[in-house]
């Protein structure tokens, strides 16, 4: 099975290599590394690793944290490995099929920023309207979105009253960004975490801005 493991580690030469060696001792094979954030002498990295069948993911935490200064933020199952070139490919796909652009966006964004699901919503007088959803998005109605209209990308408080109880039970982390105008937004979620970092929200903002231009939202 493949897992996404997010680690905080000292931003010093050799530390990531030490983590890789430690993970190797439990049979984990690193498939990809993505730098999420870096600053103040600390790096936050996402590692996609594959472990042998029957091996518990807890072993990944124990192994990684055996390296001095390393902390594991979260470990969750991960289906598929995607590099950043997928952003350009997704924009091209949306440009080629603008009529289905929102559906393509909602389905593609979770793979780019390693989220569980995404929906595109729009503010209306009667409440929020769901315009598009990824296949993994829950069918729970989300018509009450008090944060719309949205002026800028933000990490949302997943414990607020508007968040469905089923999302809270799964420990769902949420972030949203305007899509061309404040009344339309892209909402992304990570059931079980890890939490969204500022660098990830900035990346989401940049990508949504490009897509909005392509779709002339």
């Amino acid at each position: 099975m493949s897992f996404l493991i997010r680690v905080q580690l000292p931003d010093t030469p050799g530390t990531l290599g030490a983590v890789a060696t430690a993970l190797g001792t439990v049979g984990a094979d690193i498939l990809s590394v993505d730098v999420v954030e870096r600053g103040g002498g600390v790096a936050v990295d996402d590692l996609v690793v594959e472990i042998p069948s029957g091996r518990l993911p807890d072993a990944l935490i124990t192994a990684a944290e055996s390296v001095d200064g390393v902390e594991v933020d979260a470990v969750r199952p991960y289906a598929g490995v995607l590099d950043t070139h997928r952003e350009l490919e997704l924009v091209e796909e949306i440009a080629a099929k603008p009529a289905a652009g929102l559906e393509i966006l909602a389905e593609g964004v979770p793979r780019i920023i390693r989220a569980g699901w995404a929906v595109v919503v729009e503010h209306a007088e009667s409440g929020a309207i769901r315009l598009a959803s990824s296949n993994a998005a829950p069918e729970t109605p989300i018509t009450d979105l008090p944060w719309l209209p949205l002026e800028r990308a933000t990490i949302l408080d997943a414990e607020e009253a508007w968040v469905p109880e089923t999302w809270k039970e799964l420990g769902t982390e949420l972030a949203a960004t305007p899509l061309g105008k404040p009344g339309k937004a892209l909402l992304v979620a990570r059931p079980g975490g890890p939490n969204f970092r500022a660098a990830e929200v900035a990346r989401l903002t940049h990508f949504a801005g490009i897509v909005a231009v392509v779709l002339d939202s």
Side-chain angles (χ1 to χ4, degrees), residues 118-191:
V119 297
V120 178
V121 292
E122 186 170 36
H123 179 71
E125 291 184 3
S126 58
I129 302 172
R130 188 186 300 213
L131 301 178
S133 306
S134 62
N135 287 335
E139 297 181 1
T140 311
I142 49 172
T143 54
D144 181 22
L145 297 178
W147 45 270
L148 280 178
L150 186 66
E151 294 294 335
R152 62 182 62 84
T154 185
I155 297 171
L156 300 170
D157 183 352
E159 295 300 321
E160 289 189 350
W162 69 269
V163 180
E165 286 301 320
T166 53
W167 300 10
K168 294 178 181 178
E169 291 170 1
L170 294 173
T172 304
E173 300 290 340
L174 301 165
T177 186
L179 190 58
K181 52 187 178 182
K184 185 183 292 184
L186 175 66
L187 172 67
V188 293
R190 281 183 179 146

Side-chain angles (χ1 to χ4, degrees), residues 36-49:
V36 177
E37 214 168 56
R38 180 161 282 159
V42 177
V44 178
D45 292 349
D46 278 350
L47 313 178
V48 176
V49 303

Side-chain angles (χ1 to χ4, degrees), residues 10-35:
D11 191 12
T12 55
T15 302
L16 183 58
V19 172
T21 299
L23 292 173
T25 63
V26 296
D29 182 22
I30 296 179
L31 304 180
S32 72
V33 178
D34 185 26
V35 178

